[in-house]
Structures are given as structure tokens and as C-alpha cells.
Amino acid sequence: MRLVFEGPPGSGKGTQAKRVAEKSGWVHVSTGDLLRDAVRNRTPLGLTVEQVMREGLLVSDATVIDIIDERLAQKDCAKGFILDGFPRTIGQAQALDSILASRNMPLDRVVVFEVPDGAIIERITGRRSCPKCQTPYHVRFVPPKKAGVCDKDGTALVQRPDDMEDRVRTRLAKYHEDTAPVIPFYEKRGLVRKIDGTAAPEQVFKSLERALES
Ligand code: AMP
């Protein structure tokens, strides 16, 4: 299948996309992950987008459209794919339409993960990870045994700069302003399925499976 996962940052779409990808063999394509890789590797792209990402703002449409165009042209995407975090603006959605039309790859579903802002802020501001082994934690929901330290290798945990509360509020505002209008864009075509993203991950996965069958 060819899927788009939409929802505010921290709505669980990335976690669920990874799970669906593992089960189905469809490729998980996250523009956030691709951009973070570029920043980590200090590529020219990474150096250009680093500051914008740190502030919780959106990278330019032209930049992310290029990234997606290139990624979807790779052979593995012929099996199907899950776009996570793209499209985030109407301009990106229109560009995706042209890319997919030129390759005869229509979308099958757009799944929207619904989570209220208050829950998003609690989820994201509590996220931490180990910079060495990348194990994710949450200060409240998945705390390490010893506060602030990785259970596996004892490294001090870090917070993504864009996970700090003021940045999360900026990211949510951008979501409501720029990304929410993408949902009616796809609703007109009958592609959208909305699911409750506040439930436990296992429950959300079940709703997701039902949404993909309906
Ligand atoms: P994410 O991990 O999906 O929350 O993305 C992290 C950051 O990467 C966002 O806050 C943006 O700065 C940037 N980003 C990811 N995807 C897009 C996109 N489709 N359009 C613009 N910026 C993006």
C-alpha cells in the first residue's frame, strides 16, 4: 500500500509507521529522520536546515519535496511506502500528487492520528534518548531506572532541542496553521481515516489495522 500518516508531532505516527513497515515490508519514509540524518552528518543540506529545525519551524517546501522525490524514486518504494511527516503543507501535497501521478503510484489511504494539544505537550517535553545507543525514554511514561541515565550503557540522556516546551508550542502552531488544511485536501477524495491516537500503542495499532482495511 501507499500511505500517508498525518497528525501533530508526538501523535505516535512515527512509532506506528515503524511497526507497520516491519510487518508489511512497505518502506517507512520520515522526512524528519532524513533531515536529522543530514544534520548529524553535517552535509550541506544538514547545515542549511539545522537552525530552522532547532526552532521548531518548517523547512522550505522545495527542500523537502526534493528529498521525497529522490527517496520515492528508489527501487524499494515500489513495494509500497508510508510517508511520515510529509506532506506538511498544501504546496507539498500538490507536489506529491504530481510526483505520484508521473510514476503511476496513487495513494491508498491517509491516516490521521488525533491527539489533543495538552497530551502532545506532556508526551513530547518528557521525551529523552541515549545519544550513544539511541534508546528512547520518557520521564513519566518510560523512565530509566536511574533518573537521567541510560539503563543500557550509563550515558547521560539528552533531549532533542526542538522537544523543549516553547519549541513544541511553535511546532503545534505550525501544525494547526499549515498542516491541518492538508486533511480536507485528501478528505475530498475519500482517502482519510481518522484514528484516536491517545490510546495505548497496542490499541492504536489495532485501530490502524482496521483503518487500513476499511
Ligand atoms: P518530525 O520528526 O517529523 O517532527 O520533523 C522534525 C522537524 O523536521 C520539523 O519540526 C521540521 O523542522 C522538519 N520537517 C520534517 N518534515 C518536514 C516537512 N514535510 N516539511 C517541512 N519541514 C519538515
Side-chain angles (χ1 to χ4, degrees), residues 7-10 13-14 30-36 49-61 63-65 67-68 84-89 92 124 127 160 162-163 167 170-171 174 179:
K13 57 188 186 328
S30 155
T31 39
D33 285 350
L34 293 170
L35 290 165
R36 274 187 291 280
V49 299
E50 187 171 23
Q51 189 57 26
V52 170
M53 289 180 74
R54 185 177 284 275
E55 285 167 17
L57 298 170
L58 292 183
V59 171
S60 76
D61 280 358
T63 303
V64 283
I65 290 164
I67 293 175
I68 283 289
D84 160 17
F86 182 95
R88 257 173 154 104
T89 64
Q92 293 177 21
I124 305 193
R127 291 202 297 211
R160 253 168 67 175
D162 59 344
D163 280 354
R167 318 273 165 88
T170 306
R171 289 161 70 196
K174 293 307 279 173
T179 310

